[in-house]
Structure formats: C-alpha cells, structure tokens
C-alpha cells in the first residue's frame, strides 16, 4: 500500500521548488507517518534548518482520486495543496505538486533517510522518463 511505502523520513535531493532553492533554508526533509485515524491519511512533517535552528511545517495528507490533498495544521489550516507520487523506486521517491494559493507547481526528488544512492543526479538525468519526469522537469531540477 502506498501509505506504507511513504512511511518514514525522506530527504529532498532534487527540486524545482523555490523555497528549497533559497540558500536560506537548508536540509529540507519530509516525514510521512500514518495516522491512527485512517490508513489513507498521513501526518506530513516538513523540516528544514534556518540559521542552525530546525523549522517545521505540519499538515495532514488525505489520499484522494488524483493523489493526496495536503491541509496545514494549526495556523496553516487555511492552506491546502494537491500532490501526487510520481514514482517510488526503492529508496527514491518522486513527487509532483500543483500550484496552490501560496506555492508554484513543482517536483521533488527525495531519498529515504539513511539510504545511499550514488550518482542520483546522473541516474535521474539519464533515465528521467523511468522516474516519471518530463524532459522539462529533468532540465529544471536543481540538486
């Protein structure tokens, strides 16, 4: 089941998302954890460092017809976004997210925490279609 495959912490290694392209935010990662409430609902914890301090963005992902719908928790409850798993190949995860009220559309290439994937950038560039990426996405990913 998809939610079981997503469970755990994933490090963002390649992205088109401006928030991660800034030198201000370092070491972005996402932890997905199934909630007790529902098998197709995940706690979504985004973490990154700013000036040596860990910042967090918390939300809930609910599986829908065309992927997941993320909804923020706490003061972020008014925000939502749509995203989908493009592919999971072992310890490599590719997600695509749609434009939202406050973010542009984009793609992230993530690696399961603790996994060593040598030459990931070269591998994705050479075989981008097998990772579910378009040529344009491959060319705009920053590593």
């Amino acid at each position: 089941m998809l939610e079981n495959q997503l469970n755990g912490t994933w490090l963002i290694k390649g992205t088109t998302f401006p928030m991660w392209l800034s030198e201000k935010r370092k070491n972005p990662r996402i932890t997905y954890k199934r909630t007790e409430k529902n098998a197709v609902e995940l706690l979504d914890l985004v973490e990154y460092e700013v000036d040596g301090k860990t910042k967090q963005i918390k939300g809930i992902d609910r599986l829908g017809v065309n992927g997941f719908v993320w909804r923020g928790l706490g003061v972020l409850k008014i925000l939502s976004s749509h995203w989908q798993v493009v592919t999971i190949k072992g310890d490599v995860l590719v997600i695509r997210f749609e434009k939202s009220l406050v973010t542009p559309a984009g793609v992230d290439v993530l690696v399961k925490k603790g996994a060593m994937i040598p030459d990931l950038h070269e591998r994705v560039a050479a075989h981008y279609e097998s990772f579910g990426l378009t040529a344009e996405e491959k060319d705009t990913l920053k590593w």
Side-chain angles (χ1 to χ4, degrees), residues 69-116:
V69 176
W70 176 88
R71 168 91 39 202
L73 293 175
V75 296
L76 298 178
K77 190 170 185 153
I78 61 169
L79 299 177
S80 69
S81 66
H82 296 263
W83 66 277
Q84 64 182 325
V85 171
V86 177
T87 191
I88 298 179
K89 288 180 166 253
D91 291 327
V92 178
L93 167 65
V94 179
I95 62 173
R96 183 177 291 121
F97 41 93
E98 297 176 15
K99 182 182 184 313
S100 74
L101 184 63
V102 295
T103 62
V107 172
D108 288 334
V109 177
L110 305 96
V111 172
K112 190 83 167 216
K113 184 176 180 180
M116 299 301 293

Side-chain angles (χ1 to χ4, degrees), residues 2-3 7-8 19-21 30 33 37 43 53 56-57 59 78 80 91 98 104 110 118 123-124 133 138 143:
L2 183 59
E3 58 274 8
N7 212 42
M19 187 168 166
W20 306 139
L21 298 175
I30 304 173
K33 183 178 178 185
K37 184 176 176 184
L43 175 65
K53 295 180 182 159
Q56 296 183 335
I57 300 170
I78 61 169
S80 69
D91 291 327
E98 297 176 15
L110 305 96
R123 213 182 287 183
V124 170
L133 297 169
K138 171 198 63 122
W143 298 86

Side-chain angles (χ1 to χ4, degrees), residues 4 25 29 39 46 61-62 78 109 126 132 143:
N4 291 336
R25 295 172 191 90
R29 57 203 175 271
V46 176
D61 299 312
R62 289 188 178 88
I78 61 169
V109 177
W143 298 86

